[in-house]
Short mmCIF file of all heavy atoms in Angstrom, two decimals:
data_model
loop_
_atom_site.label_atom_id
_atom_site.label_comp_id
_atom_site.label_asym_id
_atom_site.label_seq_id
_atom_site.Cartn_x
_atom_site.Cartn_y
_atom_site.Cartn_z
N HIS A 557 15.57 29.26 -4.37
CA HIS A 557 16.64 30.15 -4.84
C HIS A 557 17.14 30.99 -3.67
O HIS A 557 16.50 31.96 -3.27
CB HIS A 557 16.13 31.05 -5.96
CG HIS A 557 17.22 31.71 -6.74
ND1 HIS A 557 17.53 31.35 -8.03
CD2 HIS A 557 18.10 32.68 -6.42
CE1 HIS A 557 18.54 32.07 -8.47
NE2 HIS A 557 18.91 32.91 -7.52
N ILE A 558 18.28 30.60 -3.13
CA ILE A 558 18.83 31.36 -2.00
C ILE A 558 20.35 31.27 -2.02
O ILE A 558 20.90 30.18 -2.15
CB ILE A 558 18.26 30.86 -0.65
CG1 ILE A 558 18.92 31.63 0.51
CG2 ILE A 558 18.39 29.36 -0.47
CD1 ILE A 558 18.21 31.48 1.84
N HIS A 559 21.01 32.42 -1.89
CA HIS A 559 22.48 32.45 -1.94
C HIS A 559 23.03 32.29 -0.53
O HIS A 559 23.62 33.21 0.04
CB HIS A 559 22.94 33.74 -2.61
CG HIS A 559 22.49 33.83 -4.04
ND1 HIS A 559 23.14 33.12 -5.05
CD2 HIS A 559 21.45 34.46 -4.62
CE1 HIS A 559 22.51 33.36 -6.20
NE2 HIS A 559 21.49 34.16 -5.98
N PRO A 587 22.22 28.32 -5.72
CA PRO A 587 22.94 28.43 -6.99
C PRO A 587 24.25 29.22 -6.84
O PRO A 587 24.31 30.21 -6.13
CB PRO A 587 21.95 29.21 -7.89
CG PRO A 587 21.08 29.98 -6.96
CD PRO A 587 21.19 29.36 -5.58
N ALA A 588 25.25 28.75 -7.54
CA ALA A 588 26.51 29.48 -7.61
C ALA A 588 26.36 30.67 -8.56
O ALA A 588 25.37 30.74 -9.33
CB ALA A 588 27.62 28.56 -8.11
N VAL A 589 27.30 31.61 -8.50
CA VAL A 589 27.27 32.73 -9.43
C VAL A 589 28.56 32.85 -10.23
O VAL A 589 28.59 33.48 -11.29
CB VAL A 589 26.99 34.08 -8.72
CG1 VAL A 589 25.59 34.07 -8.11
CG2 VAL A 589 28.05 34.38 -7.66
N HIS A 614 26.70 33.26 -13.38
CA HIS A 614 25.62 34.25 -13.46
C HIS A 614 25.94 35.28 -14.55
O HIS A 614 27.10 35.66 -14.71
CB HIS A 614 25.55 34.90 -12.07
CG HIS A 614 24.41 35.81 -11.83
ND1 HIS A 614 24.27 37.01 -12.47
CD2 HIS A 614 23.36 35.69 -10.98
CE1 HIS A 614 23.16 37.61 -12.02
NE2 HIS A 614 22.59 36.83 -11.12
N GLU A 643 23.42 29.75 -11.38
CA GLU A 643 22.39 30.58 -11.98
C GLU A 643 22.91 31.14 -13.29
O GLU A 643 23.97 31.77 -13.31
CB GLU A 643 22.07 31.68 -10.95
CG GLU A 643 21.32 32.86 -11.43
CD GLU A 643 20.91 33.78 -10.25
OE1 GLU A 643 21.32 33.57 -9.10
OE2 GLU A 643 20.17 34.72 -10.51
N ILE A 677 18.65 26.80 -13.72
CA ILE A 677 18.04 27.87 -12.92
C ILE A 677 18.37 29.17 -13.61
O ILE A 677 19.55 29.54 -13.76
CB ILE A 677 18.57 27.82 -11.48
CG1 ILE A 677 18.11 26.51 -10.84
CG2 ILE A 677 18.07 29.03 -10.69
CD1 ILE A 677 18.60 26.30 -9.44
N HIS A 679 18.26 33.23 -14.58
CA HIS A 679 18.15 34.65 -14.22
C HIS A 679 17.67 35.36 -15.48
O HIS A 679 18.35 35.38 -16.50
CB HIS A 679 19.53 35.16 -13.79
CG HIS A 679 19.60 36.64 -13.55
ND1 HIS A 679 19.60 37.19 -12.29
CD2 HIS A 679 19.70 37.68 -14.41
CE1 HIS A 679 19.68 38.51 -12.39
NE2 HIS A 679 19.75 38.84 -13.66
N HIS A 702 13.77 32.04 -12.28
CA HIS A 702 13.77 32.63 -10.94
C HIS A 702 13.31 34.09 -10.98
O HIS A 702 13.51 34.78 -11.96
CB HIS A 702 15.17 32.41 -10.36
CG HIS A 702 15.86 33.59 -9.80
ND1 HIS A 702 15.54 34.13 -8.59
CD2 HIS A 702 16.89 34.32 -10.26
CE1 HIS A 702 16.35 35.14 -8.35
NE2 HIS A 702 17.16 35.29 -9.34
N GLU A 750 10.68 31.30 -3.47
CA GLU A 750 12.10 31.60 -3.31
C GLU A 750 12.26 32.87 -2.50
O GLU A 750 11.37 33.73 -2.51
CB GLU A 750 12.74 31.81 -4.68
CG GLU A 750 12.13 32.99 -5.44
CD GLU A 750 12.92 33.35 -6.71
OE1 GLU A 750 13.02 32.49 -7.60
OE2 GLU A 750 13.42 34.48 -6.77
N ASP A 752 15.67 34.42 -2.65
CA ASP A 752 16.83 35.08 -3.25
C ASP A 752 17.67 35.80 -2.19
O ASP A 752 18.45 36.70 -2.51
CB ASP A 752 16.43 36.06 -4.37
CG ASP A 752 17.57 36.35 -5.34
OD1 ASP A 752 18.53 35.55 -5.38
OD2 ASP A 752 17.51 37.37 -6.04
N ALA A 753 17.51 35.42 -0.92
CA ALA A 753 18.30 36.05 0.14
C ALA A 753 19.80 35.84 -0.13
O ALA A 753 20.18 34.80 -0.65
CB ALA A 753 17.92 35.42 1.49
N ASP A 755 19.51 38.94 -1.20
CA ASP A 755 19.00 39.99 -2.08
C ASP A 755 17.47 40.10 -2.00
O ASP A 755 16.82 39.28 -1.37
CB ASP A 755 19.41 39.71 -3.54
CG ASP A 755 20.93 39.56 -3.67
OD1 ASP A 755 21.65 40.28 -2.95
OD2 ASP A 755 21.39 38.71 -4.46
ZN1 ZN B 1315 20.11 34.68 -7.51
#
Side-chain angles (χ1 to χ4, degrees):
H557 196 108
I558 177 166
H559 297 282
V589 295
H614 188 292
E643 165 172 7
I677 295 177
H679 173 102
H702 129 76
E750 62 171 61
D752 202 19
D755 304 324

